[in-house]
Structures are given as structure tokens and as C-alpha cells.
Amino acid sequence: MATTLSTLMKRATIDDHEDVLRVCNAELKHGKGDLEILYIKLIALLKLERYDEAVWLLEEGGEILKRRAQLEHAYALYKNGEFEEAKKITNDLHANRGARHVEAQASYRLEEFRQAGEIYRDLSSTQAAIDSEENDLRINSTANDAQLEWKKQGQLARKQKPGRADLDAFETAYNAACGCIARGELGQGEILLKRAKDLCSSSDDLSNQEKTTELLSIGVQQLFVLNALGKIDQAKILAKEITLNDIPDLSTRQIAHINKLAASSTPTNPYLDHRLFHSTSTLTHTNELFEFQMDLTRRNRTILDLLTSKYTGVAKSTAKILSSCSSPTISAAINGVSVNNAAAHAHNQLAKLGLKEILPLLEKRPTDVGLVLTIVQLYALANNFGSAITIMESFLKRLENSKVEKDQDVRFAPGLVAVLISLYKSQGRKSNIKTELAKTASYWKHKSKGVITLMRAAGLSLLESLNPEDLKSAGEIFESLRNQDPSDRFAVAGYVAAYAMTDLSKVESEAEHLTPVNKLTTSIDIVTLEEAGVPQLRSIKTVTVGRKRTREDTSKGVRKRVRKSRLPKGYDPNKPADPERWFPLRDRSIYRPKGKKGKQKAALTQGGASGRGNDGLNMAGSDGVTKQANTVIVPASKAKKKKSKK
């Protein structure tokens, strides 16, 4: 048996693993417990990428084979999707460099990117075992950095920006592009993806099949970027070039399917999109999506359910997810589920109709961040900022009164504080803004890692005040920022500005490190400024606009021309207008009744026109006011009734 194996290993090449496996199976028929043959068969199975059979062989071989092939066992478990078990085995093999690689890869798939990054840094700091290891470390490190960006932990990445070396290989260029996309730098990501595509197409180390697979993966990412940039026409062309069946990886195929649906023509039929979305095959445990990808996929699925009026199903499924999650939280995934739950209860209605259905949910989930933000948004859309501020203030007050430390972190989360500040700005509440920023900065100032942008905003707001207490608080904020990063010139300048008016001796040494005023004003021509004088704004009278339209001032305006069709017959602009033209015809002085009855009526009417012209105009009173005289109404004679004929 030993001779057969020795001969086999001498003539073995990288392409005859099937022959090795066949010989091992033949030998194991005679001796099933031969450890050496089992080990060789295990290596052959790993080379043939038959990882499930390799795990089965290790279980059949017992503890003896597992101790003999610990690294191979960990690798087989990792490739079979059993990442936790693979990490447990590698914990006992810290001295083995290969085991450290497996541990890093398992941590990566478990989304423990911080631990994976530390392992890659340790491996990079020591001498590589083989020539290609350094290149592999660079590729895996950049991939881990991109995942940290997606997890909003970019500060832990080795490199926040792509370097020159990242443009030398298509793998590193692709990973650098993914990092840019995660940071929202879509334009730079698009450029890096084009670079990765060119490098992959011109690579001599890949076969035609491998090139096709890699180019499809790059194309799927390009399709996402084009959709996000609004380049719909280019996205449609690229979507036609991507054939889903040519993508071997199931997770990449599912992402490509969703991106192709997003690039389809609009408007679309939501019921058809719903059917196409669910037409993809189910992923196995070895091809699972990462958390941020699963979140986006779940969100797309829920939105399609809402568009197809499946409100009850969405409400139940999202409520089940929310019941298993802790509240409050600033997790975007969980709060997104909460928003979808609110939309399902409101049946996609906005304004008053939507609020009527959503507000009762706040009594059941008073600390739900996503629900509160949804209500605030609906009030803002209805231009009801007062109610939005009330909801936001009461929610933050509930969190502030909580004794749980995690709730306090949510209360002073930068995003929630920014929402409240924006609402205050819409109403011009400057004092509330200053108070809220000061309170938030005071909280984060005592934390090990404060929120720099928020503390800067709070410090600037307090610097605008002349109150010594506010200036002191601003100085403490900028001093805390300066202690965290002594090279932060913004923090140093704020620190000097805060104490310059109250305690100048304390900041004189720091002021020397700032840019001198003479250097800042070198480009300013003082003589030109003096000759130009002090600019003055033209005073503008404040005009109160009422509901009714005010009368226009026509004293200096051009007189409006009247159309001829609106002028009376025989109108002469040179003759003065009749002052009695507004009176009824019978009340005018020129009125002459016609006929006998008309003259009798005119005689009975006091102040009416008579045959003596205008003599009776002021007869009733000397003040010129026409009064109605007392008149006697004479009843008409009764008409005789006719007797009916009998």
C-alpha cells in the first residue's frame, strides 16, 4: 500500500485529483482505518471543491483524523458555511499562519469585520509565507475595509481613501469602488469600477470563463451605481448585457436580478414586478447575503407588498420582527421595518388620513424611533411643524427620563438631535437650538468617543452668545475636542475664541499656533476698501399683506384707457358728467312723466318733479335732504260679487 501511494504521489499533478481519489477509495476497501490514506483522500476532496464530502469524511474518520488535519477540517467547515465551528478550531492554531487566514475569512463571513481587520494587520506585519500571500492579504484587507464602510464603521478601516496601489489589480480596484459606494461617493466608485473592468479584461492570469464570471460581478455593481446616479438609459443598456444564468454565485445572481428590475422601464406594473421579484431561487446557507444586503432585499420585498395592497400581511410580518427587537434603537434596518409597519396600517395614505391610523400605534410603541420619525415627517408634509415639534420633544423627554444607559445614547443620537434642530430652525427658535445643542454636547463630552461634528456645532452655537456661562461651556467643548485630536485646528481655534474674552492668558500659547491675521489678510486691498466706503442697504418699508387687496395708488400712475364699448351713448369727454347719473330715472330733476296717470303720480309724490322745474326739489326740508311726506292711501272701491246662477 505504501509503495502504491508513493508511486501515486510521484506522478500526481494538479489536474489528476480524481485519480488520487479513485486510488484512495480502492485502497480503503482493504483498510478502512488507514489514517494516511484518509488524509490524502481529504486533500483530494478539498482540491476538487467537494467540501460537504470532506466534512462527512472527517466525521467518519473520528477524532484521530480531526487532530491529524485540524487546518483542513477548519477550511472544510468554512467552505461548507459552518463559520462558527471553523473559528472554534482555529482558536487552538494561533501559531499556524494558514489557520489565521481561515479565522479571518470566517470572521469576515460572520460580519465580525473589526476582528478580521486585526488579523489581517497582524499577518501583514510579519513575513509572508509564500509569494502570493502578500497580494491576497491586500485584496482581503480592502474587501474588509469596504464592509466596514457598509456597517458605518469606516473609522476602523485601514484606509479610508483608495491609494495608488489599489489601481494595480482589478480585485483591489473593485474593493476600493465598493468602499466609495458605501460612503456615498458614487462618482468615484463609477470610475474605479471602469478601471477594474479594464484590468480584468486585459488580465493574462484568468481563463476566459473566469474573466466572464468576474466581469459579470463588476457589471452588477455598475448597474447599481448607474441606477443610483439616475443614468437610466445607460443602466438599461448594461442590464441587457447581463445574463443571469451565466452568474455562478447564487447571491450575486439574486442581486443582479433585483438591479435589473430596478433598471426596467417606468412606470411598471407592481403586480408583475412582485411576481418577477419572487421568481429567484432560494439561497443556501453557503450563499447567504450580508446583513446590509438582506436589509435592502427585505425592504424591496415589503415595498412591493405594499404596492400590491397586501397591507395585512405586511403589518403582521413587520410586527413580528419588531416584537423580537429591542426598542429604542438607532438601527436603520429595524427602524426601516417600523416605517413599513406604519405604512401598512395607514394603507399608504398621507396627511390626516395617514396620521389617524398611525397615531394610535404610538401608544403601543412609545419608544419606537422609526414610528416617531414617520409621524414627524407626515406632520411636516402637512406643514404642521408645531405638532411635529411636540411629538419629537415628548419622545426625547421619555428617553431622557429613562434609567437605561442605552436609552440615553439614543436620546442624544446625532440624527435625532439633527431632526429636532431642523424643526426648531423652521420655526426660528434660536434659543431652543442653543439649549438642545449645549445639552447634547454636555452628554457626549463625558463619553470616550464623542460625536465630533455634533460637538463642533454645539460649540459654534454657544460662541454666538455673549453670556459668560455659554462661552465657558463652548471652551470646555472645544477643549475636549482638542484633547482628542491635538492637530484639529478647528478645535484649537474654537478653544482660543471661547477664552479670548474671559481668560486670555489661558489661550495665548495656543493662539500662536493659529494662522496669523496678517497672512489671512494679505490678499485684501485696504485702500480699495476705504475708497469704496461702507455699503449701505436700501431701507425697505414693511408692508403688511392682508386678505383683501389694497387699493392701488394711481396718483402718479398712468390713467387706464377705457374701451369705447364701455362708454355711454353720446359720451363727450369735454363735457362734465351728470352728477345725477347714479340716481334712478324717476328721481332725477329732468324726469318728465308721460300721460295723465304719470302726472298724477308725480303730483302725489313729495319732492318729485313738477311742472315748475326744480322748485319742489327742497320742499320737504331746508337742509336739502329729500324726505318722504305722509300720504293717504285711498282704498279702491269694492268689486260687486256676481251671484251664481242656480
Side-chain angles (χ1 to χ4, degrees):
M1 180 178 62
T3 306
T4 305
L5 287 175
S6 177
T7 306
L8 176 64
M9 297 305 296
K10 285 182 180 180
R11 62 182 180 85
T13 64
I14 198 170
D15 297 323
D16 59 2
H17 302 299
E18 290 286 356
D19 294 337
V20 174
L21 185 61
R22 186 172 57 255
V23 172
C24 289
N25 290 332
E27 294 293 337
L28 287 173
K29 290 180 180 180
H30 304 289
K32 293 184 178 181
D34 195 311
L35 182 63
E36 193 66 25
I37 297 179
L38 289 173
Y39 180 74
I40 295 174
K41 181 180 179 180
L42 175 63
I43 298 299
L45 289 173
L46 294 176
K47 293 288 186 180
L48 293 171
E49 300 183 0
R50 292 158 64 171
Y51 305 112
D52 52 345
E53 295 182 30
V55 173
W56 179 84
L57 179 64
L58 285 162
E59 293 297 330
E60 290 292 320
E63 294 297 327
I64 299 176
L65 180 60
K66 290 180 181 179
R67 285 196 299 268
R68 170 70 171 82
Q70 284 184 300
L71 176 59
E72 290 80 2
H73 187 194
Y75 182 74
L77 290 172
Y78 160 71
K79 297 298 290 186
N80 207 39
E82 302 177 32
F83 309 119
E84 288 285 359
E85 297 298 326
K87 278 193 66 178
K88 289 180 182 179
I89 296 175
T90 56
N91 289 335
D92 300 331
L93 301 173
H94 284 292
N96 191 312
R97 195 173 181 87
R100 295 284 285 169
H101 276 279
V102 176
E103 182 183 4
Q105 288 295 91
S107 300
Y108 177 85
R109 289 298 303 166
L110 290 170
E111 301 195 28
E112 299 173 358
F113 303 117
R114 183 171 186 171
Q115 182 178 356
E118 293 174 355
I119 297 174
Y120 285 132
R121 274 191 289 271
D122 293 341
L123 291 173
S124 300
S125 61
T126 57
Q127 183 66 32
I130 55 178
D131 296 336
S132 61
E133 184 182 2
E134 185 177 353
N135 185 49
D136 293 341
L137 284 172
R138 187 184 302 109
I139 295 171
N140 293 339
S141 296
T142 53
N144 192 74
D145 290 345
Q147 291 292 344
L148 285 170
E149 295 288 353
W150 284 113
K151 294 278 286 186
K152 307 303 179 185
Q153 298 176 357
Q155 71 277 5
L156 301 177
R158 295 179 64 184
K159 293 190 299 183
Q160 279 76 26
K161 297 292 181 180
R164 181 82 177 176
D166 296 330
L167 305 179
D168 295 338
F170 80 90
E171 297 97 339
T172 52
Y174 176 81
N175 292 334
C178 292
C180 291
I181 296 169
R183 290 190 296 270
E185 302 169 359
L186 299 177
Q188 189 173 3
E190 183 183 14
I191 295 173
L192 289 171
L193 286 174
K194 290 180 179 178
R195 173 68 177 173
K197 204 168 191 176
D198 294 339
L199 290 173
C200 182
S201 301
S202 59
S203 176
D204 297 330
D205 300 331
L206 300 176
S207 63
N208 292 333
Q209 182 61 35
E210 291 173 338
K211 281 185 181 181
T212 302
T213 303
E214 297 293 344
L215 288 174
L216 283 171
S217 300
I218 298 172
V220 172
Q221 195 70 288
Q222 279 184 312
L223 185 58
F224 170 80
V225 173
L226 292 175
N227 282 329
L229 290 174
K231 299 180 179 180
I232 305 301
D233 294 335
Q234 298 182 30
K236 290 179 181 178
I237 296 173
L238 181 59
K240 293 179 181 178
E241 299 175 358
I242 297 176
T243 305
L244 297 179
N245 294 330
D246 293 342
I247 303 176
D249 185 66
L250 293 179
S251 59
T252 306
R253 186 185 302 176
Q254 187 180 74
I255 294 172
H257 178 68
I258 296 173
N259 289 344
K260 289 188 71 173
L261 283 178
S264 60
S265 301
T266 55
T268 58
N269 184 345
Y271 296 94
L272 179 60
D273 289 342
H274 186 276
R275 184 174 65 83
L276 293 174
F277 182 87
H278 290 83
S279 63
T280 56
S281 56
T282 305
L283 299 180
T284 63
H285 66 285
T286 57
N287 291 283
E288 290 183 351
L289 299 172
F290 286 100
E291 183 181 353
F292 77 95
Q293 295 171 328
M294 293 176 63
D295 174 45
L296 293 174
T297 304
R298 187 190 307 115
R299 192 181 307 174
N300 290 332
R301 185 185 299 111
T302 305
I303 290 173
L304 286 173
D305 289 341
L306 290 172
L307 290 175
T308 52
S309 303
K310 297 186 177 182
Y311 304 121
T312 304
V314 173
K316 290 182 179 179
S317 61
T318 52
K320 184 178 180 181
I321 296 174
L322 292 174
S323 63
S324 62
C325 301
S326 60
S327 180
T329 179
I330 57 175
S331 170
I334 298 175
N335 289 324
V337 173
S338 179
V339 173
N340 291 331
N341 179 267
H345 281 88
H347 290 196
N348 290 341
Q349 298 179 109
L350 301 178
K352 293 182 179 180
L353 296 177
L355 287 169
K356 182 179 179 181
E357 301 295 333
I358 296 175
L359 284 173
L361 298 176
L362 191 58
E363 299 178 1
K364 300 178 181 178
R365 307 200 302 266
T367 58
D368 192 330
V369 176
L371 180 60
V372 170
L373 292 179
T374 303
I375 295 173
V376 169
Q377 180 66 23
L378 290 178
Y379 273 128
L381 290 175
N383 205 26
N384 190 351
F385 293 99
S387 298
I389 291 174
T390 302
I391 291 290
M392 198 69 191
E393 286 179 338
S394 59
F395 169 69
L396 295 179
K397 190 67 176 178
R398 287 195 295 271
L399 296 182
E400 194 171 346
N401 294 334
S402 176
K403 297 181 180 180
V404 182
E405 184 178 358
K406 187 180 69 171
D407 293 354
Q408 300 301 315
D409 290 343
V410 177
R411 158 62 182 91
F412 295 103
L416 295 179
V417 174
V419 171
L420 184 59
I421 296 300
S422 299
L423 293 172
Y424 283 151
K425 281 185 177 181
S426 66
Q427 301 297 296
R429 302 185 185 182
K430 295 183 179 180
S431 59
N432 296 83
I433 293 174
K434 184 175 66 176
T435 303
E436 179 63 26
L437 286 174
K439 187 190 298 185
T440 306
S442 176
Y443 175 81
W444 287 111
K445 184 174 60 177
H446 302 292
K447 296 291 182 178
S448 58
K449 291 184 179 180
V451 183
I452 296 177
T453 55
L454 195 148
M455 295 182 70
R456 284 182 175 182
L460 285 176
S461 177
L462 293 171
L463 281 178
E464 296 176 357
S465 174
L466 298 177
N467 189 344
E469 294 296 329
D470 292 341
L471 293 176
K472 181 180 178 181
S473 300
E476 292 175 354
I477 291 172
F478 285 115
E479 185 176 7
S480 175
L481 292 174
R482 185 176 63 101
N483 293 335
Q484 293 182 20
D485 185 8
S487 62
D488 188 354
R489 299 176 67 84
F490 187 95
V492 174
Y495 177 68
V496 172
Y499 289 105
M501 298 177 61
T502 58
D503 192 359
L504 182 60
S505 59
K506 186 176 181 179
V507 295
E508 281 183 342
S509 59
E510 297 290 343
E512 296 176 356
H513 296 87
L514 297 176
T515 305
V517 178
N518 296 333
K519 188 175 181 180
L520 294 174
T521 58
T522 51
S523 60
I524 299 176
D525 191 348
I526 300 177
V527 177
T528 305
L529 289 177
E530 291 180 348
E531 292 178 353
V534 180
Q536 295 182 355
L537 296 176
R538 185 176 62 180
S539 60
I540 302 175
K541 295 182 179 180
T542 304
V543 180
T544 304
V545 180
R547 289 181 178 271
K548 295 183 178 180
R549 184 178 61 182
T550 57
R551 184 178 179 182
E552 298 179 357
D553 186 9
T554 57
S555 58
K556 297 182 181 180
V558 181
R559 190 171 182 177
K560 188 176 180 180
R561 184 179 178 182
V562 183
R563 296 179 181 179
K564 291 183 179 181
S565 60
R566 294 187 177 275
L567 295 175
K569 187 177 180 180
Y571 172 75
D572 188 357
N574 297 324
K575 293 182 180 181
D578 184 7
E580 297 181 359
R581 65 186 184 276
W582 307 113
F583 296 166
L585 184 61
R586 64 179 178 273
D587 293 339
R588 298 182 190 179
S589 60
I590 60 173
Y591 176 66
R592 298 292 184 270
K594 296 180 180 180
K596 184 178 180 179
K597 292 183 179 181
K599 291 179 180 180
Q600 289 178 355
K601 288 182 180 180
L604 291 174
T605 304
Q606 184 70 22
S610 63
R612 290 176 293 176
N614 294 335
D615 293 343
L617 185 62
N618 295 330
M619 184 172 57
S622 59
D623 55 355
V625 179
T626 303
K627 295 183 180 179
Q628 185 176 358
N630 294 329
T631 58
V632 180
I633 302 176
V634 181
S637 59
K638 294 182 179 180
K640 295 181 180 180
K641 295 183 179 180
K642 294 182 180 180
K643 294 181 180 180
S644 60
K645 296 181 180 180
K646 295 183 180 179

